[in-house]
Amino acid sequence: MAANFAQNLISIQDELLLFAYKLTSDQEEANDLLQETSLKALDNEEKYAVGTNFKGWIYTIMRNIFINNYRRTLRDQTYVDQSENSFCLNQCLDLEADSTESAYDLKEMHRIVNALPKELKTPFAMYVSGFKYREIAEKLNLPLGTVKSRIYFTRQKLQEELKDFR
C-alpha cells in the first residue's frame, strides 16, 4: 500500500507543479511548494482514506500550504505599533510617498485610522495583518461575534471617512 501511495504521488508531480506555478507565478517558489506538499503528503500518508480522491487530497494539501505561507508572509511584513497612537504599517505597501499629494493622502489616512477607538483599531489592525477572526478573538479574549462586528463597523467607518481617496 505504501508503494502504491508513493507511485500515485510520483505520477501526478507534473500536474502538481503546474498547479503550484499557477498559485505562485514563480518557478522557484512553485518547486518549493511542490516539494513541501510532497513531504507533507508522505508524512501524513496514514491520514489518507483509501478509496477517496487522491488527487483532490494532494491538491488540498498544496492549496492549504500556499495559503498558510501567504498569510505568514503577510503577517511577517506587517508591523503593528503597540504605542498609544498605534497603527498598522504594511512594509510591502508600494506608495509614491515622495510626491506631496500622496504624502498628504497617507498622512490623512493615518490620522483617520489613529482617530478610531482602540477597541475598533486593534482588532482591525490584527485582521489586516493576516490574523483570522478566531485568532483575534483568542488573543484579545473577546467573543468571536464581537470581533467580527468590530471589524465590520471599522470597515464601514473607514469607507465613509476615506471615500474621497477612491
Side-chain angles (χ1 to χ4, degrees):
M1 187 166 130
N4 192 25
F5 183 89
Q7 186 59 38
N8 286 341
L9 185 58
I10 290 170
S11 70
I12 62 169
Q13 291 291 296
D14 291 338
E15 294 175 55
L16 286 172
L17 184 59
L18 288 174
F19 184 60
Y21 187 74
K22 282 182 184 178
L23 291 172
T24 62
S25 300
D26 180 81
Q27 192 63 41
E28 205 58 39
E29 287 182 36
N31 287 329
D32 290 344
L33 183 58
L34 175 63
Q35 182 178 16
E36 192 173 348
T37 301
S38 298
L39 287 173
K40 187 156 193 145
L42 289 170
D43 286 344
N44 293 289
E45 179 180 348
E46 71 280 354
K47 294 180 183 176
Y48 173 69
V50 178
T52 59
N53 184 354
F54 180 77
K55 192 187 288 188
W57 187 70
I58 298 291
Y59 274 70
T60 301
I61 291 172
M62 181 175 279
R63 188 191 72 232
N64 289 342
I65 290 171
F66 173 76
I67 290 169
N68 289 339
N69 289 345
Y70 175 78
R71 286 180 177 155
R72 185 178 307 112
T73 301
L74 189 63
R75 197 174 306 150
D76 291 345
Q77 291 177 347
T78 303
Y79 173 74
V80 179
D81 183 6
Q82 297 298 331
S83 67
E84 190 173 306
N85 295 325
S86 66
F87 55 91
C88 181
L89 293 174
N90 196 327
Q91 294 173 348
C92 65
L93 207 55
D94 188 22
L95 294 175
E96 299 171 9
D98 52 352
S99 75
T100 308
E101 184 177 321
S102 63
Y104 172 77
D105 290 349
L106 186 59
K107 191 181 281 188
E108 185 65 16
M109 284 185 230
H110 280 294
R111 184 192 64 74
I112 291 168
V113 170
N114 286 330
L116 292 169
K118 185 176 181 175
E119 64 269 2
L120 294 179
K121 185 173 26 177
T122 303
F124 184 74
M126 291 175 75
Y127 178 75
V128 170
S129 335
F131 286 92
K132 298 176 186 173
Y133 289 124
R134 179 184 36 76
E135 294 172 325
I136 297 168
E138 289 171 5
K139 288 190 185 290
L140 298 178
N141 199 23
L142 293 170
L144 183 62
T146 302
V147 170
K148 287 180 178 182
S149 64
R150 286 182 181 178
I151 291 171
Y152 173 79
F153 290 131
T154 304
R155 272 197 205 129
Q156 297 302 317
K157 186 167 180 60
L158 289 175
Q159 282 179 351
E160 178 61 33
E161 293 284 331
L162 298 171
K163 66 181 176 231
D164 296 335
F165 292 95
R166 291 183 187 182

